[in-house]
């Protein structure tokens, strides 16, 4: 065994010398980063695309019995956690890069965890020098300033990956009023028993606090209902991302046989048209009256008003240093330390990417229950194997009010969810103190709705 180890090490050293020589000759000049093209050079020369892509350019020693196995596993895990191809394509086109990708790049540079030590042990020139690190970090910051401006935050927090929730966004109030009525209207269901608010109660954190929501005839769906609050910020809707807009999302449940069970929107429109007063009011805003496009447009416009600004954390980001306690600030530091702030970004602290549930450990094997179609996540829509068990990242706003957690509703408490996420996404077993601190921080994310602190009436009744 010792002899084989020496042989492998000798091969790696030779490869390292060759790689280092190539790197010295071909290293891009150390200059201030002025364009995405320069960032593209840094990514290429640092070996990122050797692992973070569907078709990695593996080195020759990947074919060796022992070293090769390690290399291939590293590449597999790298691709599972971060596919950099879309980012590289955006760079080449001069387009904006996903803010999740920006956060991931920034985090590994600040931590010094990429390139991996065992990678630049062989590829000596692959490690970033200080100038390149600063160039890359400056590029991330400039991308945020240009495409994801943090205008509500205090200057010292302007480069945070999380932004305060806006007080409001521009809407057509006539449509909002109609959308509010439709959101609470049971006539959108076949038997006039279920409305949008049945599963997304505005008095219960925008959810129903059930593992799976109950539809017509007492039927239960197979996925946990996410909060409707701040859904305006999500880049797509539903856990599997099958709806591109809030209007698309609003069109789904009425026709779902388990949820509202209508055969078509014609059935809904017929019932609504029978209400002369409502029909008259609706036609004043939508002259062509009730149809699927108009109904879902009105609901979308109403849901855009379901913002919850002014949480204690938002007040902290806006410059109120007394808004959070030492315990809560410690929790926020841990939130960033353990990579939570790389996926839970933006105003809604999530909803901007699809991520794999079970990067470090097999969540579904440990869960010990039969897999369901909903467990496939994004794969349901794309049929791309990489998307299996990959879900839209949930927003964390008002998360203290929205138990149970995860797409399968298996995590009963915030503590359970924090422990599970650390284990399956980061590969860390948190201490009791760390869990308590992170939960304390997450409780500061409850915001205000219509000028009052959001509460969950289900909690008040316990």
């Amino acid at each position: 065994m010792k002899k084989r180890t020496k042989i492998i090490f000798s091969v790696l050293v030779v490869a390292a010398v060759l790689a280092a020589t190539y790197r010295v000759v071909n290293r891009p000049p150390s200059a201030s980063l002025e364009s995405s093209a320069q960032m593209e050079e840094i990514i290429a020369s640092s070996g990122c695309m050797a692992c973070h892509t569907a078709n990695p350019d593996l080195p020759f020693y990947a074919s060796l019995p022992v070293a090769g196995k390690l290399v291939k596993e590293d590449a597999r895990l790298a691709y599972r956690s971060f596919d950099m191809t879309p980012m590289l394509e955006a760079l080449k086109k001069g387009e904006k890069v996903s803010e999740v990708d920006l956060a991931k790049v920034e985090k590994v540079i600040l931590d010094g965890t990429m390139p991996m030590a065992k990678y630049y042990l062989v590829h000596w020139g692959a490690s970033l020098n200080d100038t390149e690190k600063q160039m890359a970090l400056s590029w991330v910051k400039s991308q945020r300033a240009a495409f994801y401006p943090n205008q509500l935050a205090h200057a010292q927090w302007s480069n945070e990956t999380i932004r305060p929730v806006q007080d409001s966004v521009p809407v057509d109030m006539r449509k909002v009023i109609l959308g509010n009525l439709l959101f609470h209207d049971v006539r959108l269901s076949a038997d006039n028993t279920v409305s949008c608010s049945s599963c997304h109660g505005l008095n219960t954190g925008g959810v129903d606090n059930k593992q799976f929501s109950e539809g017509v005839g007492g039927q239960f769906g197979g996925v946990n209902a996410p909060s409707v609050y701040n859904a305006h910020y999500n880049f797509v809707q539903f856990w599997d991302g099958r709806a591109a807009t809030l209007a698309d999302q609003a069109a789904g449940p009425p026709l779902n046989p388990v949820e509202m069970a209508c055969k078509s929107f014609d059935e809904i429109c017929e019932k609504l048209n029978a209400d002369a007063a409502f029909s008259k009011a609706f036609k004043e805003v939508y002259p062509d009256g009730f149809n699927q496009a108009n109904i879902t447009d009105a609901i979308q416009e109403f849901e855009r008003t379901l913002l919850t600004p002014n949480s204690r954390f938002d007040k902290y980001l806006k410059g109120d240093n007394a808004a959070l306690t030492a315990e809560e600030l410690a929790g926020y530091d841990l939130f960033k330390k353990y990579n939570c702030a790389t996926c839970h970004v933006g105003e809604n602290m999530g909803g901007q990417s699809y991520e794999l549930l079970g990067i470090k450990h097999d969540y579904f094997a440990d869960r010990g229950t039969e897999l369901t179609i909903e467990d496939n996540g994004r794969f349901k829509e794309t049929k791309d194997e990489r998307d299996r068990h990959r879900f839209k990242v949930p927003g964390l706003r008002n998360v203290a009010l929205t138990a149970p957690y995860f797409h399968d509703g298996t995590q009963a408490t915030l503590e359970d969810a924090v422990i599970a996420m650390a284990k399956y996404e980061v590969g860390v077993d948190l201490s009791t103190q760390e869990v308590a601190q992170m939960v304390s921080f997450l409780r500061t994310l409850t915001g205000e709705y219509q000028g009052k602190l959001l509460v969950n009436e289900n909690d008040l009744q316990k």
Side-chain angles (χ1 to χ4, degrees):
M1 183 65 187
K2 290 183 178 179
K3 184 177 180 181
R4 184 166 63 176
T5 301
K6 288 181 180 179
I7 293 173
I8 292 173
F9 181 78
S10 297
V11 171
L12 294 181
V13 169
V14 172
V17 172
L18 294 174
T21 301
Y22 178 85
R23 170 73 167 179
V24 169
V25 173
N26 294 278
R27 178 186 288 274
S30 296
S32 61
L33 185 62
E34 298 177 355
S35 69
S36 293
Q38 288 175 294
M39 185 61 190
E40 184 183 343
E41 288 282 341
I42 290 176
I43 291 173
S45 60
S46 298
C48 301
M49 302 309 290
C51 294
H52 294 276
T53 181
N55 300 299
D57 183 16
L58 297 177
F60 72 90
Y61 52 84
S63 61
L64 298 177
V66 178
K69 184 177 180 180
L70 295 174
V71 170
K72 291 175 182 177
E73 178 61 11
D74 285 341
R76 186 184 73 86
L77 290 174
Y79 180 56
R80 280 163 62 88
S81 61
F82 186 11
D83 178 8
M84 294 185 70
T85 303
M87 176 180 174
L88 198 59
E89 291 176 350
L91 282 168
K92 291 177 179 178
K93 296 176 182 178
E95 299 173 348
K96 73 175 181 179
V97 171
S98 159
E99 59 181 317
V100 173
D101 291 354
L102 293 176
K104 289 180 177 180
V105 169
E106 181 180 57
K107 185 65 164 60
V108 297
I109 292 175
L110 290 174
D111 289 351
T113 54
M114 288 290 165
M116 296 176 67
K118 56 185 173 183
Y119 181 82
Y120 63 74
L121 174 66
V122 178
H123 305 83
W124 289 351
S127 60
L128 299 178
N129 61 40
D130 289 342
T131 300
E132 288 171 323
K133 289 178 182 178
Q134 290 307 311
M135 288 166 66
L137 293 174
S138 295
W139 174 80
V140 169
K141 188 174 182 178
S142 67
Q143 282 277 305
R144 284 210 187 102
F147 298 110
Y148 309 103
N150 202 350
Q151 297 170 334
L152 294 178
H154 189 274
Q156 69 182 122
W157 306 122
S158 62
N159 193 49
E160 292 292 283
T161 64
I162 301 167
R163 298 184 292 278
V165 174
Q166 298 163 273
D167 289 336
S168 63
V169 294
V171 291
D172 184 331
M173 285 308 302
R174 301 175 307 157
K175 293 183 178 180
V176 169
I177 292 170
L178 295 174
N180 187 2
L181 293 171
L182 289 166
F183 185 85
H184 293 89
D185 199 325
V186 295
R187 289 175 294 185
L188 270 62
S189 64
D191 62 359
N192 300 328
T193 62
V194 178
S195 70
C196 302
S197 62
S198 298
C199 302
H200 301 284
L202 302 188
N203 60 338
T204 54
V207 299
D208 55 12
N209 299 125
K210 299 176 181 178
Q211 181 179 18
F212 303 127
S213 298
E214 185 175 356
V216 299
Q219 300 179 88
F220 286 91
V223 69
N224 184 253
S227 177
V228 71
Y229 282 116
N230 304 302
H232 160 74
Y233 293 116
N234 294 336
F235 82 130
V236 293
Q237 306 298 329
F238 292 120
W239 287 96
D240 57 16
R242 64 184 183 273
T245 67
L246 286 169
D248 292 338
Q249 187 279 327
L255 304 184
N256 186 300
V258 174
E259 297 181 59
M260 292 176 162
C262 291
K263 291 182 174 59
S264 71
F265 265 84
D266 290 340
E267 177 183 338
I268 296 170
C269 294
E270 183 178 351
K271 288 191 286 185
L272 295 177
N273 275 317
D275 184 336
F278 191 22
S279 181
K280 181 176 182 296
F282 197 85
K283 287 181 179 178
E284 289 178 0
V285 180
Y286 296 95
D288 53 339
F290 292 113
N291 56 48
Q292 177 175 331
N294 291 344
I295 290 171
T296 58
D297 181 69
I299 293 174
Q300 172 178 255
E301 199 74 353
F302 168 64
E303 290 186 345
R304 295 180 69 221
T305 70
L306 300 180
L307 307 180
T308 59
N310 300 318
S311 69
R312 287 199 293 119
F313 180 59
D314 282 345
K315 292 175 182 178
Y316 174 78
L317 290 179
K318 292 176 182 179
D320 183 357
N321 291 329
L324 300 187
T325 67
E327 176 87 350
E328 292 159 351
L329 285 173
Y332 183 41
D333 287 340
L334 291 171
F335 186 83
K336 293 188 284 188
K337 174 183 176 180
Y338 291 128
N339 301 334
C340 308
T342 59
C343 297
H344 293 285
V345 301
E347 290 89 350
N348 201 21
M349 298 179 67
Q352 302 305 313
S353 66
Y354 302 107
E355 302 293 341
L356 181 67
L357 179 54
I359 293 175
K360 297 295 185 179
H361 298 284
D362 192 332
Y363 171 81
F364 294 98
D366 290 351
R367 188 180 67 180
T369 57
E370 186 177 349
L371 289 173
T372 71
I373 188 172
E374 298 295 347
D375 290 332
N376 285 317
R378 183 62 179 158
F379 175 82
K380 289 170 55 187
E381 301 301 307
T382 67
K383 307 307 177 186
D384 183 342
E385 188 57 38
R386 184 177 187 272
D387 288 333
R388 194 183 296 277
H389 308 320
R390 202 171 289 273
F391 301 89
K392 183 194 71 179
V393 174
L396 295 183
R397 293 294 181 172
N398 314 302
V399 69
L401 308 179
T402 60
Y405 305 103
F406 290 14
H407 77 284
D408 55 11
T410 58
Q411 308 303 308
T413 68
L414 264 181
E415 287 81 2
D416 294 336
V418 166
I419 292 169
M421 286 300 293
K423 175 180 178 180
Y424 292 104
E425 301 305 287
V426 192
V428 171
D429 291 323
L430 299 176
S431 68
T432 301
Q433 181 182 32
E434 287 178 319
V435 173
Q437 289 172 334
M438 290 188 72
V439 169
S440 292
F441 163 66
L442 293 173
R443 294 189 184 281
T444 72
L445 304 180
T446 303
E448 298 176 354
Y449 178 59
Q450 297 182 339
K452 296 180 180 179
L453 182 68
L454 197 65
V455 297
N456 186 321
E457 292 183 5
N458 288 334
D459 293 336
L460 298 178
Q461 294 169 8
K462 293 179 181 178

